[in-house]
Structure formats: structure tokens, C-alpha cells
Amino acid sequence: MGSVQLHHVGLLMPTEEAALQFMKLIGLEEDHRGYVPEYKALCIFAKGNGASPVELVIPQGGKLSEYKAGKPVIHHLAFAVEDIRAAQAEYAAKGMPLLDEKPVQGAGDFVVNFLKPRHTGGILVEFVQSTR
């Protein structure tokens, strides 16, 4: 799979209002946002200012709404990969299939897929490949 680099840290927030309040409290500025229908989630990315950004994930239904009883929580660590399908094949060969059969369009110019927490000792890992 080659080397990986931290792409972003994902925080799960109960509402858009809570996400915006958190951003204001910490001093984060919105860079962009998008909706990911496969996960029923609004995703707001803060500006990284030269570092890895924070993604605030706001569930709009589905399983994410039930995660941690809807409380704010660190949700995932995302790592940039050059070839997400190669990463998927590598982990499948180790008996660790990724969450989705094929990469999902993320909330930006990238596709994503997740390594389930049961394979990582409890941490949800997202792989991100740029589509630029």
C-alpha cells in the first residue's frame, strides 16, 4: 500500500448547530461541506491551515445517528492513500474486508472506504484517495 499520511480527523456531532458552535469555540473556520448520501451525513471540513483538517460529521439518519447515543465523539482517523482499490485488496487478502464493496464519493474531491474497528483494536480508519 505504500506510505500513508494523515488526511483528517473526523468528529461526529449530533447537529449542524452543535458542529458550528464547536467550530466557533475552538476557532475553526469552514473550508467546505458536502453531503454523503451513502452514509446519510452532512460533512463540514474546517480549514487545515497547513495541517490536517477536522471533519465534522452530522448524521441525517441511518446508523451514524445511533452511534454513541448521538453524543459528540471522535469518530475516525482518515489516511490519504494513492490507490484505494489497492488498499482494499491488500486488507481483503489479510481477511479484513473494508466496509463498502467499492469506494464511496466523499464530501469533496475524493473517494473513501473504511477499515472496520474490529480489525484495528477499536479505531475506525478511513482511507481517502484524491480524485483530482
Side-chain angles (χ1 to χ4, degrees), residues 63-123:
K63 291 182 181 182
L64 278 178
S65 294
E66 302 164 9
Y67 187 77
K68 298 290 185 186
K71 295 184 172 147
V73 64
I74 295 175
H75 183 253
H76 64 272
L77 295 177
F79 295 95
V81 295
E82 289 184 27
D83 185 342
I84 199 165
R85 289 188 184 273
Q88 186 168 357
E90 181 179 323
Y91 283 97
K94 296 176 183 177
M96 296 182 264
L98 299 188
L99 182 65
D100 296 297
E101 283 187 35
K102 59 183 182 177
V104 171
Q105 177 60 50
D109 295 332
F110 51 84
V111 291
V112 303
N113 210 335
F114 290 86
L115 183 59
K116 298 173 187 174
R118 70 173 175 241
H119 301 306
T120 64
I123 298 169

Side-chain angles (χ1 to χ4, degrees), residues 7-115:
H7 185 271
H8 67 268
V9 175
L11 306 179
L12 194 64
M13 302 299 285
T15 64
E16 183 177 357
E17 181 182 358
L20 295 175
Q21 287 176 348
F22 176 82
M23 290 175 67
K24 184 177 179 181
L25 174 71
I26 302 301
L28 299 174
E29 196 176 335
E30 184 174 326
D31 183 36
H32 68 277
R33 62 173 62 203
Y35 182 76
V36 181
E38 289 84 354
Y39 303 134
K40 297 180 181 167
L42 171 64
C43 301
I44 301 172
F45 278 83
K47 290 182 179 177
N49 300 323
S52 298
V54 173
E55 175 192 26
L56 296 110
V57 180
I58 302 104
Q60 309 285 305
K63 291 182 181 182
L64 278 178
S65 294
E66 302 164 9
Y67 187 77
K68 298 290 185 186
K71 295 184 172 147
V73 64
I74 295 175
H75 183 253
H76 64 272
L77 295 177
F79 295 95
V81 295
E82 289 184 27
D83 185 342
I84 199 165
R85 289 188 184 273
Q88 186 168 357
E90 181 179 323
Y91 283 97
K94 296 176 183 177
M96 296 182 264
L98 299 188
L99 182 65
D100 296 297
E101 283 187 35
K102 59 183 182 177
V104 171
Q105 177 60 50
D109 295 332
F110 51 84
V111 291
V112 303
N113 210 335
F114 290 86
L115 183 59

